[in-house]
Amino acid sequence: MDLLPSEDQRDLIAAATDFLESRMPIEGIRARDGQPSAVDRDAWLEGAELGLLTLGLPEEYGGSGRLLDDEALLFATLAEHLATGPFLTSSLAARVAAQCGDLDLVGRISDGSVLVGLAELRGDGSIGPEGIKGTFDLIDCAGVSHVLLVTELGAAIVDLDEFPDVETLDSSDPGIRLATSTVTAATVRHWLPSGTDPIWLRATVLSAAGLAGLANAVTRLATEHAKLRVQFGRPIGVHQAIKHACADMAVASDAAMSQTLFAAVCVQSGRQDALFHALAAKTVASRAAIANAGATIQVHGGMGYTYEHNAHLYLKRAHVISHLFGEPTQVLADLLEQGAPQ
Amino acid sequence: MDLLPSEDQRDLIAAATDFLESRMPIEGIRARDGQPSAVDRDAWLEGAELGLLTLGLPEEYGGSGRLLDDEALLFATLAEHLATGPFLTSSLAARVAAQCGDLDLVGRISDGSVLVGLAELRGDGSIGPEGIKGTFDLIDCAGVSHVLLVTELGAAIVDLDEFPDVETLDSSDPGIRLATSTVTAATVRHWLPSGTDPIWLRATVLSAAGLAGLANAVTRLATEHAKLRVQFGRPIGVHQAIKHACADMAVASDAAMSQTLFAAVCVQSGRQDALFHALAAKTVASRAAIANAGATIQVHGGMGYTYEHNAHLYLKRAHVISHLFGEPTQVLADLLEQGAPQ
Amino acid sequence: MDLDFTAEQVEFREQVLTWLTEHKPRESRPRDDAGIREYDLAWQRTQWEGGWAGIAWPTEYGGGGLTLLQQLIWYEEYAAQGLPGIDACFVGLNHAGPTVMLRGNEEQKSFHLPRILKGDVIWCQGFSEPEAGSDLASLRTKAVIDGDHLVVNGQKIWTSSANCADFQELLVRTDNTGSKHDGITWVIADMHTPGIDIRPIKTMEGGAEFCEVFYDDVRIPLSNVVGEINQGWSVAMSTLSFERGTAFTANQVRLAKVVEDLIDFSRDHVGPDGRRPAIADDEIARRLARSRASVASLRAMTYVGICHTMKSDTPGPRGSMLKLHYADLCKEIAALAMDIVGADGLRNSSRWDPMGWVGNYFYSFSQSIGGGTSEIQRNIIGERVLGLPR
Amino acid sequence: MDLDFTAEQVEFREQVLTWLTEHKPRESRPRDDAGIREYDLAWQRTQWEGGWAGIAWPTEYGGGGLTLLQQLIWYEEYAAQGLPGIDACFVGLNHAGPTVMLRGNEEQKSFHLPRILKGDVIWCQGFSEPEAGSDLASLRTKAVIDGDHLVVNGQKIWTSSANCADFQELLVRTDNTGSKHDGITWVIADMHTPGIDIRPIKTMEGGAEFCEVFYDDVRIPLSNVVGEINQGWSVAMSTLSFERGTAFTANQVRLAKVVEDLIDFSRDHVGPDGRRPAIADDEIARRLARSRASVASLRAMTYVGICHTMKSDTPGPRGSMLKLHYADLCKEIAALAMDIVGADGLRNSSRWDPMGWVGNYFYSFSQSIGGGTSEIQRNIIGERVLGLPR
């Protein structure tokens, strides 16, 4: 048993961090405020070249063939740097396309020329191999050609053109773009049943990883501020109100990251309680990300409440991710229905 | 408008406090551990003589005819000193008996010779003028002759003899006695419909007052300890972990007491939103009492976890009162059904 | 105890209600600085003309000379009508006005107080600095006496309405030699003085209600000093105690309305299970009911606080209890709303929108920071209400 | 990363399971001191005879010489069988044993370690004092050197199993002249020495698992000092880091079982509405699910912690994160159980009773106090994990 990042994995995190800090700085979110797409296309292409979209894709399809815990670390790192663009859905879509035999699409997602956004069904409707129906939130679909839809039963790739009357909405997270569309009938380009590959399960683990990454990042942000910010002649971190808030954040984010990596390993080793642990990871990571981001704003005082500071971007991202691939209350209901873990 | 205790009321509190400290010290709870009744009968008679059972009883029945806010202050004071014995039910029963014309019973409750315990229906059953049925928790009914039952529709006085096969249970609160009995049919001695006098509403306000008193008492306990207990060369109250815990307790108990007095005045002045405010008082006071008592144990450290310390007695009393005259979740449901307050 | 109002007070409430119904602004409040200035001043002027400005201010300064209870009645009816906060006029009416009244000289009083009441001027605050947040007394904006003027250099932050204000209550350091609490001066700055530069700060909620204010050799007449030179700390403390006193009444009435709106919303909005209304969900229903109870208790605390203040004349540290409870509740209720809206929380909104729950949630984070963080309030309660050691 | 166990480890788990199934005690644990002593020692002896005592202890002291992972496997299977905590043997196996192993001399090791493993002796702890709780280093129990003995006078508190213990790990003050951290000595006290007086402390849960211990001219041979005279503080710190390390594994497996029991209980027990089972209540269901998730995360943290420890050899301050998370969860789950039992909470119970939720709730208050309060753990995490200033 080993749950610590290997040297390989530490290298992976370091390379992704380097790339994100230099090519996708958080400042870019504010710089692209008001632009149709949140994505910096040049940086996206570079990221694709670096292999950020194909880390878990089997080597036979041109990917790196790395395991889910590697991917979890990557998506945590992406979230820690508030990377913009549909990384998760594009990665998952490449996997779907590969298993559906659409090697052309795999290649175009992999080289960054095709981006795949996410559609989430809101209210009644259906998603299946025969088609989709209902009102959908379109997340980061500005400028993409394809859309991924994920359900417990399987995952679908649909052309964006199939969504009529796309209405752009103001997103609560300035780092993503939001739109809505009501579909009466639309063709599904690819359908991958979860029996073949449980995309929903992977999406749950990887979104938990993103949330854990957010929780981690804000803990670091608050802790650093507490060390440096001087009030009453001493760094504010000497005060228990601040120190203990940081300690609680540290516990929450450690719990979230530990559980997420545990879940990733459970999924990749096919453990019977993999779903249990994935749902648990999403639950603890959602709560940690939202609570820690809120606490980080408080630790920063007025500064943390400004648009210029990054704290709110983490908070907003945390809320968005917590609503993807299953509402929090649904995740809890599913979790309670599982048998006891091994 | 005036929500501050008048000089009269401050005198009342001072007199009750004097009596309780000298004649019903908290230590008595431990001293009577294992005895059938939790009540010190001599002290009870003295309390009756002092008028503690008849403060709100109209003067025409021999009471002091004071208003509900006076009674709320009294029951808060009784709870602050963890007074043992069925003060609340005996007081309410005197009121019921008076309005049902049983002046003999009024006199015997008033002089302390008759004690009235409480029966709470658990599960299915019925309480009404024609009789009672079901399984009942009997609270502080050891050594009493009469039992009060309170519902939203009215209040009943039943002879203890009507409860068959009374089985004594171990109570979670060492300051009260608990038993159970299943009744298939029992005669009601007196029935007072709530239209004549809303006993349930008064019971709700006065139990909120008890809870607010508990919340208050433990706040004081924790604060005093934080001033005196020295660790690391300074009183522990200098540390924000302790100071802020005390501050939160102070806010919670102030909110609880303010809302309770507000509710008492609403009831006595017949305001339309009286029920709203009574339910709100019970809710905030329950939460304040339980949270503050738990925090007080923590502030006291190991000492607070011992049986010898009083902190746990407050916690246990808080839990008991929160389950009387309506379960906490039922109180919330009733509260949500009310219209908006004035 | 009683909640009874005298015949006079009951009549007063009826008059308020009648007048508000007739005179309240029909248009919604603009969102741009110039529009806000015009709107808020016009509305203040209307109140003045109706005889409702400064209800509890002494008549000698143009106030109504009535009690805090009448002021409370006004706030209650005002907020119950769904009227906007007094926002741009807040500092004048609740900070600068009372401070000048208590600590200013006759000239300052007679010049400024009527103008505040009449809706001629807008005031802003200049207390906080980037390096002096919770530790207000460490402020460094420097003022040097030059003849009969102070020459000010430095920077202030978190100034609401700076963009549209005429005057500022400004704390400057006039002496560096003693303890940090000494050497501070409370002075009135005319916001049109040359050398003042204003830059708006965008908040996480998307608005820009705060500004940074920069001072470059700004000359302020010495006659604008309120209290004595170097005695500004005690003046500032009285300013802040007003903020934590009665000024919250309207806020908490408004918060009660937020809870009622949220309850209504929960009846119409589908809940977490995607089928039943949100209010049918046991968890949401209970959290709504608890919010109702807590907001009611906040109001009861306010009433008790007003009774105290009417007996002792200053709000005292009890105001911190209200402020803390209010901040906690704002955040709790805003977070509950986010759980109720569920995935609709992906859609941004402004707190000014009807049912703008997302904007309201983002805004709620400011409530435990602005006007003294909740940590500072807990210190004040611990030390000054409970007497715990520092 | 992987959760794979080697073939050897898998086989080990099977052996543990087989052996436990065959040899676990059939009778329930007595509640009186003498009974507990006999029961716990007999069970330890059985484990020793089966070759399971001190799995990760070095073979030279009679241990199994295996890794922490095998120790973890043992704890998991052990707790999964619903076996009682190691209670009376806890201090010997998890405090005194490891400390003697790390800091004791050869004589001390060869005398004490096998006796602990074989179930010959019970140890208790003598660290805390009435005036030295969180501030352990301010302890005042005094020891004076008299020839080749220490003569001890003073008082200890919160000593579990003092009534049935043979030895005590005792911290005494041997020097008063320097800083409070200097001048402390870690010494082994024979609990049968004249002058030791033991008084049980009744807890709010009703049990008496703690004692006060009084020392009146108690003579302890100098050869019982572990480490050097006046160097006891660093010895004590290593003792405590063991406590916060692997020793919690069994506790958290047991906590997971508590959650599963509570879920089962909620299926059978009527909920707050008096009609449906508790688990049908949205609020209770979600709190149960959140508890499940949190307890799972505690386990994952424990695994990560063991991986760290296996690389670095000492548990380090990360143990405080586990301790804090565990304490918070214990209290949260215990409070949830009280909401589930509702008015049945008026009936007292013991945490040793099946479904003894009331007793478990009262007991839970000790979890954020004993073994270092949660406030102290937060200080440790803030300062030693996150590097915040003191």
Side-chain angles (χ1 to χ4, degrees):
Chain A
M1 184 183 75
D2 189 6
L3 284 168
L4 303 182
S6 64
E7 207 183 313
D8 244 26
Q9 291 179 320
R10 289 198 302 272
D11 289 348
L12 164 72
I13 295 170
T17 301
D18 270 357
F19 167 77
L20 293 165
E21 285 180 353
S22 62
R23 299 295 295 128
M24 282 195 176
I26 294 173
E27 191 43 42
I29 294 176
R30 282 178 282 259
R32 283 187 299 283
D33 246 353
Q35 292 181 18
S37 164
V39 184
D40 175 343
R41 268 307 178 67
D42 292 339
W44 182 266
L45 289 170
E46 288 177 51
E49 198 171 339
L50 200 64
L52 298 184
L53 295 163
T54 46
L55 188 73
L57 191 68
E59 286 172 288
E60 55 191 296
Y61 301 110
S64 309
R66 302 277 283 262
L67 295 173
L68 191 59
D69 55 320
D70 293 57
E71 284 196 279
L73 291 170
L74 173 62
F75 281 100
T77 306
L78 289 167
E80 284 187 41
H81 296 85
L82 292 171
T84 39
F87 280 98
L88 179 52
T89 38
S90 297
S91 291
L92 292 171
R95 198 173 180 91
V96 172
Q99 295 185 72
C100 293
D102 187 346
L103 299 189
D104 175 57
L105 183 56
V106 174
R108 287 190 295 144
I109 296 173
S110 301
D111 68 16
S113 56
V114 159
L115 284 76
V116 183
L118 177 68
E120 286 271 357
L121 180 62
R122 297 298 177 208
D124 292 336
S126 63
I127 300 167
E130 299 82 23
I132 63 168
K133 209 169 75 177
T135 296
F136 294 86
D137 272 355
L138 300 175
I139 293 136
D140 265 340
C141 290
V144 311
S145 52
H146 296 72
V147 175
L148 181 74
L149 299 99
V150 181
T151 75
E152 297 186 30
L153 298 176
I157 295 178
V158 175
D159 293 358
L160 182 65
D161 300 342
E162 297 278 336
F163 291 86
D165 307 321
V166 172
E167 182 198 349
T168 301
L169 301 170
D170 189 15
S171 158
S172 60
D173 174 356
I176 69 146
R177 294 296 177 268
L178 184 68
T180 182
S181 167
T182 299
V183 179
T184 45
T187 310
V188 167
R189 177 176 288 274
H190 298 300
W191 172 258
L192 182 66
S194 61
T196 312
D197 190 353
I199 298 295
W200 176 65
L201 185 56
R202 297 181 79 90
T204 299
V205 171
L206 296 177
S207 52
L211 291 160
L214 297 174
N216 232 352
V218 292
T219 304
R220 209 151 43 212
L221 210 57
T223 304
E224 288 313 306
H225 183 71
K227 288 177 190 173
L228 297 175
R229 169 77 169 170
V230 172
Q231 292 275 277
F232 303 104
R234 298 159 80 194
I236 60 171
V238 302
H239 300 296
Q240 287 180 329
I242 302 294
K243 183 177 288 176
H244 289 190
C246 290
D248 285 336
M249 284 187 234
V251 171
S253 67
D254 196 279
M257 192 60 88
S258 299
Q259 178 61 25
T260 299
L261 294 174
F262 191 94
V265 179
C266 285
V267 170
Q268 80 202 7
S269 57
R271 257 173 67 141
Q272 286 219 318
D273 55 359
L275 179 53
F276 179 105
H277 287 294
L279 296 164
K282 183 89 182 289
T283 296
V284 293
S286 284
R287 292 165 66 81
I290 291 171
N292 286 8
T296 296
I297 292 172
Q298 184 69 20
V299 166
H300 281 82
M303 224 35 110
Y305 182 65
T306 65
Y307 194 80
E308 285 313 301
H309 198 275
N310 292 336
H312 74 105
L313 297 174
Y314 285 99
L315 177 78
K316 291 167 178 177
R317 183 67 51 91
H319 275 279
V320 169
I321 303 184
S322 77
H323 289 295
L324 306 183
F325 312 111
E327 279 293 281
T329 50
Q330 188 56 49
V331 171
L332 290 172
D334 288 348
L335 178 54
L336 198 55
E337 275 183 11
Q338 303 297 309
Q342 270 174 246
Chain B
M1 183 182 75
D2 188 6
L3 284 167
L4 302 182
S6 63
E7 206 182 314
D8 244 25
Q9 290 179 320
R10 288 198 302 273
D11 289 347
L12 164 71
I13 295 171
T17 301
D18 270 358
F19 168 76
L20 292 166
E21 285 180 354
S22 62
R23 299 295 295 130
M24 281 196 178
I26 295 173
E27 191 44 41
I29 294 177
R30 282 178 282 261
R32 284 186 299 282
D33 246 354
Q35 292 180 19
S37 164
V39 185
D40 174 343
R41 269 307 179 66
D42 291 339
W44 183 266
L45 289 170
E46 287 177 50
E49 197 170 341
L50 201 65
L52 298 184
L53 295 163
T54 46
L55 189 73
L57 192 69
E59 286 172 289
E60 55 192 295
Y61 301 110
S64 309
R66 302 277 282 261
L67 295 172
L68 190 59
D69 54 321
D70 293 57
E71 283 196 279
L73 290 171
L74 172 62
F75 282 100
T77 306
L78 288 168
E80 284 188 42
H81 295 87
L82 291 171
T84 39
F87 281 98
L88 179 53
T89 39
S90 297
S91 291
L92 292 172
R95 201 173 177 90
V96 172
Q99 295 185 72
C100 293
D102 187 346
L103 300 188
D104 175 57
L105 184 55
V106 174
R108 287 191 295 143
I109 295 173
S110 300
D111 68 15
S113 57
V114 158
L115 284 76
V116 184
L118 177 69
E120 285 272 357
L121 180 62
R122 298 298 177 207
D124 293 336
S126 63
I127 300 167
E130 299 82 25
I132 65 167
K133 207 168 78 176
T135 296
F136 294 87
D137 273 354
L138 300 175
I139 293 138
D140 265 338
C141 291
V144 312
S145 52
H146 296 71
V147 175
L148 180 76
L149 298 99
V150 180
T151 76
E152 297 186 31
L153 298 177
I157 295 177
V158 175
D159 294 358
L160 183 66
D161 299 343
E162 298 277 333
F163 291 84
D165 306 323
V166 172
E167 182 196 349
T168 300
L169 300 171
D170 188 15
S171 158
S172 60
D173 174 356
I176 69 147
R177 295 295 177 267
L178 185 67
T180 182
S181 166
T182 299
V183 178
T184 45
T187 309
V188 167
R189 177 177 288 274
H190 297 300
W191 173 258
L192 181 67
S194 61
T196 312
D197 189 353
I199 298 295
W200 176 65
L201 185 56
R202 297 182 79 90
T204 299
V205 171
L206 296 177
S207 52
L211 291 160
L214 296 173
N216 232 352
V218 291
T219 304
R220 209 153 42 213
L221 210 56
T223 304
E224 288 312 307
H225 183 72
K227 288 177 188 172
L228 297 176
R229 169 77 170 170
V230 172
Q231 293 274 276
F232 303 104
R234 299 160 78 194
I236 61 171
V238 301
H239 300 296
Q240 287 180 328
I242 302 295
K243 182 178 289 174
H244 290 191
C246 290
D248 286 336
M249 284 187 235
V251 171
S253 67
D254 196 279
M257 191 61 87
S258 300
Q259 178 60 25
T260 298
L261 294 174
F262 192 94
V265 179
C266 286
V267 169
Q268 79 202 7
S269 57
R271 257 173 67 139
Q272 285 218 319
D273 55 0
L275 178 55
F276 179 105
H277 286 295
L279 296 165
K282 182 89 182 289
T283 296
V284 293
S286 284
R287 291 164 67 81
I290 291 171
N292 286 8
T296 296
I297 291 172
Q298 183 69 19
V299 166
H300 281 82
M303 224 35 111
Y305 182 64
T306 64
Y307 195 80
E308 284 314 300
H309 199 275
N310 292 337
H312 73 106
L313 297 175
Y314 286 99
L315 178 78
K316 291 168 178 176
R317 182 68 51 92
H319 275 279
V320 168
I321 303 183
S322 78
H323 289 294
L324 305 183
F325 311 110
E327 278 294 281
T329 51
Q330 189 55 49
V331 171
L332 290 172
D334 288 348
L335 178 56
L336 198 56
E337 275 183 13
Q338 304 297 310
Q342 270 175 244
Chain C
M1 293 177 193
D2 62 81
L3 290 166
D4 301 341
F5 293 98
T6 61
E8 187 194 1
Q9 288 162 347
V10 171
E11 198 192 322
F12 179 82
R13 191 185 286 277
E14 278 160 22
Q15 289 169 347
V16 169
L17 186 57
T18 310
W19 188 86
L20 279 176
T21 313
E22 279 172 27
H23 294 87
K24 70 179 176 190
R26 304 290 156 192
E27 324 77 51
S28 64
R29 193 164 177 266
R31 295 190 192 179
D32 64 297
D33 289 323
I36 286 172
R37 179 183 165 91
E38 200 182 330
Y39 180 94
D40 285 7
L41 285 180
W43 172 221
Q44 179 64 26
R45 210 167 295 130
T46 307
Q47 293 174 60
W48 161 261
E49 285 159 2
W52 302 105
I55 288 166
W57 287 28
T59 47
E60 55 185 306
Y61 307 120
L66 301 175
T67 66
L68 279 181
L69 260 184
Q70 271 122 332
Q71 181 71 73
L72 171 84
I73 291 169
W74 166 265
Y75 277 135
E76 287 193 338
E77 295 302 325
Y78 183 95
Q81 297 272 326
L83 287 167
I86 48 174
D87 293 303
C89 293
F90 184 93
V91 172
L93 287 166
N94 287 296
H95 280 206
T99 306
V100 167
M101 215 183 301
L102 201 67
R103 308 290 293 261
N105 58 37
E106 278 315 312
E107 209 174 331
Q108 290 164 342
K109 291 187 205 179
S110 60
F111 181 85
H112 287 290
L113 299 179
R115 283 175 171 75
I116 290 171
L117 289 186
K118 286 180 185 167
D120 289 345
V121 293
I122 280 173
W123 281 69
C124 64
Q125 190 177 45
F127 281 17
S128 292
E129 299 182 6
E131 299 302 318
S134 289
D135 183 13
L136 180 58
S138 71
L139 59 91
R140 295 191 292 204
T141 291
K142 198 175 155 186
V144 177
I145 299 177
D146 178 26
D148 55 359
H149 278 72
L150 284 170
V151 182
V152 177
N153 281 283
Q155 182 191 352
K156 294 288 173 181
I157 196 168
W158 312 128
T159 303
S160 310
S161 310
N163 265 325
C164 62
D166 302 285
F167 293 103
Q168 181 176 45
E169 44 174 21
L170 180 62
L171 288 183
V172 292
R173 179 153 305 282
T174 36
D175 187 352
N176 245 323
T177 56
S179 89
K180 66 181 179 181
H181 292 94
D182 301 329
I184 291 173
T185 298
W186 201 107
V187 64
I188 301 168
D190 181 328
M191 288 299 280
H192 307 107
T193 319
I196 291 183
D197 183 26
I198 297 165
R199 296 180 208 159
I201 302 169
K202 191 173 170 189
T203 71
M204 65 177 272
E205 198 245 332
E209 58 251 78
F210 300 114
C211 294
E212 290 179 289
V213 184
F214 298 85
Y215 307 82
D216 180 13
D217 283 339
V218 174
R219 296 183 68 84
I220 302 176
L222 277 172
S223 57
N224 281 14
V225 171
V226 172
E228 302 294 314
I229 287 271
N230 294 340
Q231 300 298 311
W233 183 251
S234 82
V235 184
M237 287 303 95
S238 46
T239 311
L240 290 178
S241 78
F242 285 110
E243 181 178 46
R244 289 169 199 154
T246 52
F248 274 102
T249 317
N251 282 359
Q252 55 101 331
V253 177
R254 210 165 287 119
L255 187 61
K257 202 167 169 309
V258 168
V259 173
E260 297 305 322
D261 285 350
L262 191 54
I263 290 172
D264 289 341
F265 180 80
S266 300
R267 292 189 213 284
D268 305 332
H269 191 87
V270 75
D273 65 0
R275 294 176 289 106
R276 298 171 304 169
I279 207 166
D281 182 282
D282 300 317
E283 183 177 18
I284 286 173
R286 283 182 207 136
R287 288 168 70 189
L288 286 168
R290 285 186 202 114
S291 299
R292 256 191 162 177
S294 299
V295 168
S297 75
L298 179 68
R299 181 195 192 182
M301 277 175 84
T302 305
Y303 277 36
V304 172
I306 285 171
C307 296
H308 272 294
T309 310
M310 284 172 64
K311 289 213 171 136
S312 71
D313 254 8
T314 52
R318 263 190 117 265
S320 286
M321 297 176 73
L322 285 175
K323 165 88 167 77
L324 176 60
H325 195 32
Y326 176 75
D328 283 349
L329 281 177
C330 279
K331 291 179 84 165
E332 191 179 311
I333 291 163
L336 167 57
M338 285 297 275
D339 285 345
I340 291 171
V341 302
D344 286 350
L346 268 58
R347 290 157 168 74
N348 205 23
S349 67
S350 156
R351 67 184 169 112
W352 303 108
D353 298 337
M355 306 295 151
W357 301 116
V358 173
N360 181 61
Y361 170 69
F362 294 151
Y363 174 69
S364 74
F365 286 90
S366 69
Q367 298 301 296
S368 53
I369 297 172
T373 64
S374 287
E375 288 78 10
I376 293 291
Q377 308 304 337
R378 288 190 178 95
N379 278 351
I380 294 173
I381 297 165
E383 291 159 15
R384 288 198 252 154
V385 178
L386 300 176
L388 289 169
R390 294 176 71 90
Chain D
M1 294 177 190
D2 62 80
L3 290 165
D4 300 340
F5 292 98
T6 61
E8 188 194 359
Q9 288 162 348
V10 171
E11 200 194 318
F12 178 82
R13 191 185 287 276
E14 280 160 20
Q15 289 168 349
V16 169
L17 186 58
T18 310
W19 188 85
L20 279 175
T21 313
E22 279 172 28
H23 295 86
K24 69 179 177 190
R26 305 290 155 192
E27 323 77 50
S28 64
R29 195 164 176 266
R31 294 189 192 180
D32 64 298
D33 289 322
I36 285 171
R37 179 183 164 91
E38 198 182 331
Y39 180 92
D40 285 8
L41 285 180
W43 171 220
Q44 179 64 27
R45 211 167 294 129
T46 308
Q47 292 174 61
W48 160 262
E49 285 160 3
W52 302 105
I55 288 166
W57 287 28
T59 47
E60 55 186 305
Y61 307 120
L66 301 175
T67 66
L68 279 182
L69 260 184
Q70 271 123 333
Q71 181 72 72
L72 171 84
I73 291 169
W74 166 266
Y75 277 135
E76 287 193 336
E77 295 302 324
Y78 183 95
Q81 297 271 328
L83 286 167
I86 46 175
D87 295 302
C89 293
F90 184 92
V91 171
L93 286 166
N94 287 297
H95 280 204
T99 306
V100 167
M101 215 183 299
L102 202 67
R103 308 290 293 261
N105 59 36
E106 279 314 312
E107 209 173 331
Q108 289 164 342
K109 293 186 205 181
S110 59
F111 181 84
H112 287 291
L113 299 179
R115 282 175 171 75
I116 291 171
L117 289 186
K118 285 180 188 169
D120 289 344
V121 292
I122 281 175
W123 281 68
C124 64
Q125 191 178 44
F127 281 17
S128 292
E129 298 181 7
E131 298 302 319
S134 289
D135 183 12
L136 180 58
S138 70
L139 60 90
R140 295 193 291 207
T141 292
K142 198 175 155 186
V144 177
I145 299 178
D146 177 26
D148 55 359
H149 277 71
L150 284 170
V151 182
V152 178
N153 281 283
Q155 182 192 353
K156 293 289 172 180
I157 197 169
W158 313 126
T159 303
S160 311
S161 309
N163 266 326
C164 61
D166 302 286
F167 294 104
Q168 181 176 46
E169 44 174 22
L170 180 63
L171 288 183
V172 292
R173 179 154 306 282
T174 36
D175 188 352
N176 246 324
T177 57
S179 89
K180 67 181 178 181
H181 291 94
D182 302 328
I184 292 172
T185 298
W186 201 107
V187 64
I188 301 168
D190 181 328
M191 289 299 281
H192 307 109
T193 318
I196 292 182
D197 183 26
I198 297 166
R199 297 182 208 158
I201 302 169
K202 190 172 171 191
T203 71
M204 65 178 272
E205 198 245 331
E209 58 252 80
F210 301 114
C211 295
E212 290 180 288
V213 184
F214 296 86
Y215 307 82
D216 180 13
D217 283 338
V218 175
R219 296 183 67 82
I220 303 176
L222 277 171
S223 57
N224 279 16
V225 170
V226 173
E228 303 293 314
I229 288 271
N230 293 341
Q231 299 299 309
W233 182 251
S234 82
V235 184
M237 287 302 97
S238 45
T239 311
L240 291 178
S241 78
F242 285 110
E243 181 180 45
R244 288 168 198 155
T246 52
F248 274 102
T249 317
N251 282 0
Q252 54 102 331
V253 177
R254 210 164 288 119
L255 186 61
K257 203 168 168 310
V258 168
V259 173
E260 297 305 321
D261 285 350
L262 190 55
I263 290 172
D264 289 341
F265 180 79
S266 301
R267 292 190 214 283
D268 305 332
H269 191 87
V270 76
D273 66 359
R275 294 175 289 107
R276 297 171 305 168
I279 206 166
D281 183 282
D282 300 316
E283 183 178 18
I284 286 173
R286 281 181 209 137
R287 288 168 71 190
L288 285 168
R290 285 187 202 112
S291 298
R292 257 193 161 176
S294 298
V295 168
S297 75
L298 179 68
R299 181 193 191 184
M301 277 175 85
T302 305
Y303 277 36
V304 172
I306 285 171
C307 295
H308 272 295
T309 309
M310 283 172 66
K311 289 211 172 136
S312 71
D313 255 8
T314 52
R318 264 189 115 267
S320 286
M321 297 177 73
L322 284 175
K323 164 88 167 77
L324 176 60
H325 195 31
Y326 176 76
D328 283 349
L329 281 176
C330 280
K331 291 178 86 166
E332 191 179 312
I333 292 163
L336 167 58
M338 285 297 276
D339 285 345
I340 291 171
V341 302
D344 286 350
L346 268 59
R347 291 157 168 73
N348 205 23
S349 67
S350 155
R351 68 184 167 114
W352 302 109
D353 298 338
M355 307 295 150
W357 301 116
V358 173
N360 181 61
Y361 170 69
F362 294 151
Y363 174 69
S364 74
F365 287 90
S366 69
Q367 298 300 295
S368 53
I369 298 172
T373 65
S374 287
E375 287 78 11
I376 292 290
Q377 308 303 336
R378 287 190 178 94
N379 277 351
I380 294 173
I381 296 165
E383 290 159 16
R384 289 199 251 154
V385 179
L386 300 176
L388 289 169
R390 294 177 72 90

